[in-house]
Amino acid sequence: MPTPHNSAPQDAFAKTVLLPGDPLRAKFIADNFLSDVKQVNDVRNMLAYTGYYQGKKVSVMGSGMGIPSIAIYCTELYQHYGVENIIRIGSCGAYQKHLKLYDVILAQGACTDSNFAHQFLPNGGTYSALADFSLLKAAYDYALKQKIKVQVGNILSSDIFYNANPSAWKQWQALGVLAVEMEAYALFSTAAKYQKKALAILTVSDSLVSKEETTAIERERNFKQMVEIALNIA
Ligand code: HPA
């Protein structure tokens, strides 16, 4: 049975799904890294594919941008499609001076300025959204083995890209938060809700500190490192 946002049959997804923000990235991964690929969703052009990587069945799907969008897709994947592991691969803006463009970050945890997890806490409280340790360790070990430099730490999943207060990010910088993106908190807390596993692998695409930005071509090259880590731990 399909869901309101996904026309795939119930057995269409592998146990592990890679989730880039951009559905065309999902297509790129399917076209360039997977064999025996089937497209399983095209509702709203949120393309999803299932294929094989080194004999392992893997799926890849776009998440869209922001907490509401990723929350819809990861909830349906966990709850309806029996998916066990979701690995977000995305870009982020650096909050710390030592982070350079293209550095790879493994998000150990995610802070947020969103109320998303309040739905799980009717009695109040603040949920600390963490990556699954087994996925985090596997990604870290693989990166170490392949000599891919990675940084492990806390990130911010923000609801706001264009903030009316241009220095609002500095409060997160002061707490040692490495970088900002817009999805991981929803993924990690939804994984917790359904007792499933999640990880986010991010590449620095811009720096709030140095104001540097990457080009689209360079982003694509670096994107492959994250895909390689994600596919090898899938
Ligand atoms: N803000 C939010 N999300 C992002 C950014 C940013 O600066 N860069 C990449 N994803």
Side-chain angles (χ1 to χ4, degrees):
M1 245 197 4
T3 73
H5 315 96
N6 200 325
S7 58
Q10 201 137 14
D11 61 354
F13 285 91
K15 292 291 173 209
T16 299
V17 181
L18 271 56
L19 216 61
D22 180 352
L24 291 180
R25 294 278 167 159
K27 182 175 185 329
F28 179 88
I29 295 167
D31 289 345
N32 291 282
F33 292 87
L34 303 185
S35 55
D36 292 321
V37 177
K38 262 205 198 95
Q39 185 180 315
V40 297
N41 185 50
D42 65 357
V43 176
R44 288 177 182 252
N45 287 322
M46 201 54 83
L47 304 172
Y49 304 86
T50 295
Y52 291 83
Y53 178 76
Q54 295 177 354
K56 280 181 304 195
K57 191 173 174 186
V58 184
S59 297
V60 53
M61 180 176 182
S63 71
M65 287 184 286
I67 283 173
S69 184
I70 195 170
I72 287 170
Y73 295 110
C74 72
T75 299
E76 292 178 354
L77 289 170
Y78 285 139
Q79 186 186 32
H80 185 81
Y81 287 104
V83 168
E84 294 295 329
N85 311 302
I86 296 180
I87 305 173
R88 162 164 157 69
I89 43 183
S91 61
C92 63
Y95 275 179
Q96 303 294 334
K97 207 166 116 193
H98 72 273
L99 286 165
K100 303 298 173 213
L101 297 185
Y102 310 116
D103 280 359
V104 177
I105 294 173
L106 304 178
Q108 185 177 12
C111 310
T112 195
D113 52 23
S114 153
N115 291 335
F116 180 78
H118 292 192
Q119 63 179 311
F120 306 130
L121 301 166
N123 298 318
T126 304
Y127 180 72
S128 292
L130 300 181
D132 174 75
F133 184 71
S134 62
L135 288 178
L136 180 64
K137 183 171 187 304
Y140 184 75
D141 289 347
Y142 179 81
L144 220 58
K145 197 175 83 184
Q146 298 301 317
K147 301 193 167 35
I148 301 170
K149 191 179 134 217
V150 290
Q151 320 242 0
V152 183
N154 211 349
I155 61 160
L156 172 68
S157 299
S158 181
D159 270 348
I160 307 167
F161 188 86
Y162 297 111
N163 199 311
N165 175 357
S167 56
W169 64 277
K170 291 187 178 162
Q171 65 175 4
W172 301 103
Q173 179 190 47
L175 291 170
V177 170
L178 296 176
V180 59
E181 49 83 89
M182 306 183 81
E183 293 84 13
Y185 188 92
L187 173 60
F188 293 174
S189 52
T190 301
K193 153 90 179 152
Y194 293 103
Q195 300 180 24
K196 306 277 188 167
K197 297 179 180 179
L199 178 68
I201 308 175
L202 306 168
T203 298
V204 174
S205 63
D206 55 274
S207 169
L208 286 278
V209 185
S210 71
K211 318 280 192 230
E212 293 170 288
E213 287 177 8
T214 54
T215 65
I217 289 171
E218 290 168 325
R219 273 203 299 277
E220 181 166 315
R221 175 159 44 82
N222 220 266
F223 173 75
K224 290 179 187 164
Q225 262 185 349
M226 290 190 289
V227 177
E228 187 196 329
I229 298 173
L231 285 173
N232 277 282
I233 66 166

